[in-house]
Amino acid sequence: DVVMTQSPLSLPVTLGQPASISCRSSQSLVYSDGNTYLNWFQQRPGQSPRRLIYKVSNRDSGVPDRFSGSGSGTDFTLKISRVEAEDVGVYYCMQGTYWPRYTFGQGTKLEIK
Amino acid sequence: EVQLVESGGGLVQPGGSLRLSCAASGFTFSNYWMSWVRQAPGKGLEWVANMKPDGNEKYYVDSVKGRFTISRDDAKNSLYLQMDSLRVEDTAVYYCARTTAFDYWGQGALVTVSS
């Protein structure tokens, strides 16, 4: 099974400062069609998960442009250029390359310092 | 507007059964793979099961194989999860999600397995 490892697991950030979350997979996430199926989700306190980024770097509709995704192969990063109060929550990466079985990272809890 | 609404959660004793439902609207349900994802209290997300649109393919995480059954009724735009032989460790919020890279999620249904 593909294992997704996130770091850090806890991320205290000052408002207005940048934040970065790393996600590493135990196997390459490049699919046979050339795409890389790595997604990022945000889960605010008390809410359902919400997809932010799909296929490494594509922002979903309505996601602020301060969120960006990058990476390739086995190493991926979610960056927030300037953290706002509404960004508090837990962030998960998820691989879809090895569908129909999917795996999530452990989650990174972002809090305001 | 895409909506997914879970129901059927509750308290059940170990060894018992429960059936979750997910009512879908706002899209052509019969065209999409659908999944169940769970989240134990204070823990992360875990994919549980998914199902192909025609119902011919179903997949499960190892920990629920032989105990949980995913099904769907395209005429009713509904997804189901039959959970048998429930264990304490199955306690979680269960979400249904549209499996186009999990672009839409329901609000979740809490399942508590306890004596």
Side-chain angles (χ1 to χ4, degrees):
Chain A
D1 287 358
V2 180
V3 177
M4 306 298 290
T5 303
Q6 290 182 228
S7 63
L9 300 184
S10 178
L11 184 56
V13 183
T14 301
L15 285 173
Q17 293 301 301
S20 180
I21 300 170
S22 170
C23 175
R24 290 184 172 157
S25 59
S26 60
Q27 300 176 50
S28 173
L29 297 188
V30 180
Y31 189 55
S32 55
D33 64 2
N35 288 310
T36 299
Y37 295 95
L38 185 284
N39 306 314
W40 288 96
F41 298 86
Q42 175 195 60
Q43 188 174 32
R44 291 171 170 152
Q47 295 188 13
S48 302
R50 165 201 183 195
R51 196 179 71 179
L52 296 177
I53 302 280
Y54 62 96
K55 287 195 287 185
V56 180
S57 59
N58 297 275
R59 262 192 316 274
D60 273 280
S61 175
V63 175
D65 61 7
R66 64 179 182 275
F67 288 91
S68 64
S70 63
S72 62
T74 60
D75 288 347
F76 304 92
T77 303
L78 176 70
K79 291 183 179 177
I80 309 173
S81 59
R82 295 172 306 280
V83 169
E84 298 188 6
E86 66 177 17
D87 300 336
V88 165
V90 182
Y91 292 81
Y92 297 91
C93 60
M94 186 209 79
Q95 69 80 19
T97 295
Y98 295 89
W99 74 279
R101 293 180 175 83
Y102 300 86
T103 45
F104 292 88
Q106 319 96 299
T108 295
K109 185 174 184 179
L110 186 149
E111 60 181 21
I112 304 301
K113 205 186 287 185
Chain B
E1 179 194 5
V2 172
Q3 283 198 317
L4 298 168
V5 180
E6 300 93 338
S7 60
L11 173 64
V12 61
Q13 291 188 336
S17 298
L18 211 55
R19 188 195 195 207
L20 301 181
S21 300
C22 171
S25 60
F27 65 102
T28 306
F29 180 76
S30 57
N31 288 350
Y32 288 85
W33 284 74
M34 295 294 296
S35 292
W36 289 98
V37 176
R38 68 183 178 183
Q39 185 171 36
K43 302 297 184 182
L45 302 169
E46 179 184 41
W47 168 78
V48 173
N50 59 15
M51 186 168 183
K52 195 178 177 183
D54 60 11
N56 287 341
E57 294 181 40
K58 305 177 184 182
Y59 299 90
Y60 301 91
V61 69
D62 287 348
S63 58
V64 308
K65 277 181 188 174
R67 300 188 300 121
F68 289 12
T69 303
I70 188 172
S71 62
R72 62 194 294 159
D73 184 337
D74 289 349
K76 295 183 177 180
N77 290 338
S78 293
L79 181 73
Y80 306 101
L81 187 67
Q82 176 67 41
M83 302 183 292
D84 299 320
S85 303
L86 281 161
R87 304 169 180 168
V88 170
E89 56 265 34
D90 295 319
T91 294
V93 173
Y94 286 74
Y95 298 99
C96 70
R98 192 173 81 167
T99 312
T100 306
F102 298 82
D103 55 353
Y104 289 95
W105 298 62
Q107 86 288 350
L110 176 62
V111 173
T112 303
V113 185
S114 174
S115 55

